[in-house]
Amino acid sequence: MMKKKYAFLLYYTLLVFISWSVYSNITSRRADDGDGDDGDDDDGGDVENQIFLPLSLFTQAREIISVGKIPLVATVNKGFLELTHNWLCNTEFMHVHDQVILIATDLSAYTVISKRWPDVKVTLWEIDSKLADEQKYPSPGYRKLTLIRVKFLLALLRHGISFLQFETDCFWRRSPLARLGSYRGYDVIAAQKGNGEFADDYTPSLSVGFVFVNATSAAVEIWKEMIKRLEADVTTAWEQTILDALCKERFNGANCELFPYSAITDGVWYKMNDAMRATLAQDPDIINTNWVVGNRKKVKMLKLFKQWFVEDDRDTCGKRPLWMKSERSI
């Protein structure tokens, strides 16, 4: 009798594990855009690698979608906690926290954020412990995190989940989400990469620091191709360079668009003089801090421009400027 009982428990445990694995496997074929699966199993190379994501990620995303909102997804680790805390303080009154999912790649980041911000959805997805600390651009660790992020975003797309990917090392003057309503029928809508060298013949290109991705078959194919190219060239290929090229060639019929630079700007903004800002991005919704390398430098820059919202105790959110209080409901 006892042997039958233990056999049943073992069978039940295995059944639960297999069900969870199938649901969260990155090789799932779902793409709920009405086109269905193309039936092509030849992804090539390491795209078929199995990445097991926690079921909570998909549950949280569907909870957000069920109330008519778009999941805002960002990855964070222990080395990014200070900047993440600042962004959460920055956006505390913008009514966006209920649609944010922070994917913590180490237990320390998960514990700190969950305790300090209980209303924010956090999913623990532990990866290589060596990647828990700051990974500076363009280090091997930074590249590895980039590839991992692309793979888990592919998992979301294959489960029919559209999302907006953002990064927490940024400043939000106001929520930009209302802008998404004017962009319908696109597979990818991304921020623009700034003209860092201020070249006269600059051609706008795509940035992955703020990008909306619609869960269509075209987007799935783009993300699969990105993984192939990243894994084929792990030393020089970059996520946003590949995505920009695929969008420009309309890979698999993809329809891509750029947000105006005046609305979603990047770290080049910090290099501009007042006249350039007045012309290119006088009043942006968002300023990302790429082009500023290293977390210490990012923090210093944000403080210099009065875009830092955390007190010296590194926990309390500071007083908000009057102009931000007037826009708290936007």
Side-chain angles (χ1 to χ4, degrees), residues 33-96:
D33 62 339
D35 294 334
D37 177 31
D38 60 9
D40 180 11
D41 289 332
D42 184 18
D43 283 343
D46 290 334
V47 178
E48 289 293 350
N49 282 352
Q50 294 180 343
I51 289 185
F52 296 100
L53 298 172
L55 183 60
S56 60
L57 172 61
F58 302 100
T59 302
Q60 290 170 346
R62 296 197 186 284
E63 285 177 0
I64 294 168
I65 293 169
S66 70
V67 294
K69 296 187 176 183
I70 298 169
L72 312 181
V73 181
T75 53
V76 298
N77 63 3
K78 181 177 66 175
F80 229 57
L81 277 175
E82 189 174 15
L83 287 160
T84 300
H85 187 35
N86 181 65
W87 181 82
L88 288 166
C89 286
N90 171 195
T91 57
E92 187 174 13
F93 299 107
M94 293 186 186
H95 308 296
V96 297

Side-chain angles (χ1 to χ4, degrees), residues 107-118:
L107 182 59
S108 178
Y110 174 81
T111 303
V112 170
I113 297 172
S114 298
K115 182 178 179 180
R116 177 61 181 81
W117 298 95

Side-chain angles (χ1 to χ4, degrees), residues 24-235:
S24 57
N25 192 338
I26 196 170
T27 60
S28 168
R29 290 294 175 186
R30 180 177 176 185
D32 296 340
D33 62 339
D35 294 334
D37 177 31
D38 60 9
D40 180 11
D41 289 332
D42 184 18
D43 283 343
D46 290 334
V47 178
E48 289 293 350
N49 282 352
Q50 294 180 343
I51 289 185
F52 296 100
L53 298 172
L55 183 60
S56 60
L57 172 61
F58 302 100
T59 302
Q60 290 170 346
R62 296 197 186 284
E63 285 177 0
I64 294 168
I65 293 169
S66 70
V67 294
K69 296 187 176 183
I70 298 169
L72 312 181
V73 181
T75 53
V76 298
N77 63 3
K78 181 177 66 175
F80 229 57
L81 277 175
E82 189 174 15
L83 287 160
T84 300
H85 187 35
N86 181 65
W87 181 82
L88 288 166
C89 286
N90 171 195
T91 57
E92 187 174 13
F93 299 107
M94 293 186 186
H95 308 296
V96 297
H97 284 191
D98 62 338
Q99 61 192 106
V100 170
I101 302 176
L102 297 179
I103 301 172
T105 57
D106 59 85
L107 182 59
S108 178
Y110 174 81
T111 303
V112 170
I113 297 172
S114 298
K115 182 178 179 180
R116 177 61 181 81
W117 298 95
D119 295 332
V120 174
K121 295 175 177 64
V122 188
T123 288
L124 175 61
W125 182 38
E126 290 187 275
I127 55 175
D128 189 343
S129 60
K130 296 177 182 178
L131 300 176
D133 296 318
E134 178 183 357
Q135 304 297 320
K136 287 186 178 181
Y137 172 91
S139 68
Y142 183 95
R143 289 180 176 278
K144 188 172 183 178
L145 281 176
T146 296
L147 177 58
I148 289 171
R149 181 174 69 176
V150 174
K151 286 187 173 184
F152 91 70
L153 292 179
L154 175 59
L156 291 178
L157 292 174
R158 280 174 160 168
H159 282 83
I161 296 172
S162 303
F163 57 84
L164 193 151
Q165 173 188 281
F166 74 103
E167 296 172 348
T168 59
D169 56 330
C170 62
F171 164 68
W172 284 28
R173 181 183 177 97
R174 63 183 70 84
S175 170
L177 300 184
R179 294 183 179 275
L180 291 178
S182 61
Y183 292 92
R184 299 187 181 278
Y186 291 100
D187 300 293
V188 178
I189 314 166
Q192 297 184 42
K193 180 181 176 182
N195 182 4
E197 305 302 326
F198 303 111
D200 294 333
D201 58 347
Y202 178 73
T203 301
S205 61
L206 177 154
S207 170
V208 295
F210 187 88
V211 55
F212 170 75
V213 188
N214 206 2
T216 62
S217 59
V220 169
E221 293 305 315
I222 281 182
W223 252 253
K224 285 162 56 178
E225 183 66 20
M226 285 170 63
I227 293 171
K228 284 184 184 179
R229 296 189 187 186
L230 283 169
E231 291 188 325
D233 185 3
V234 296
T235 58

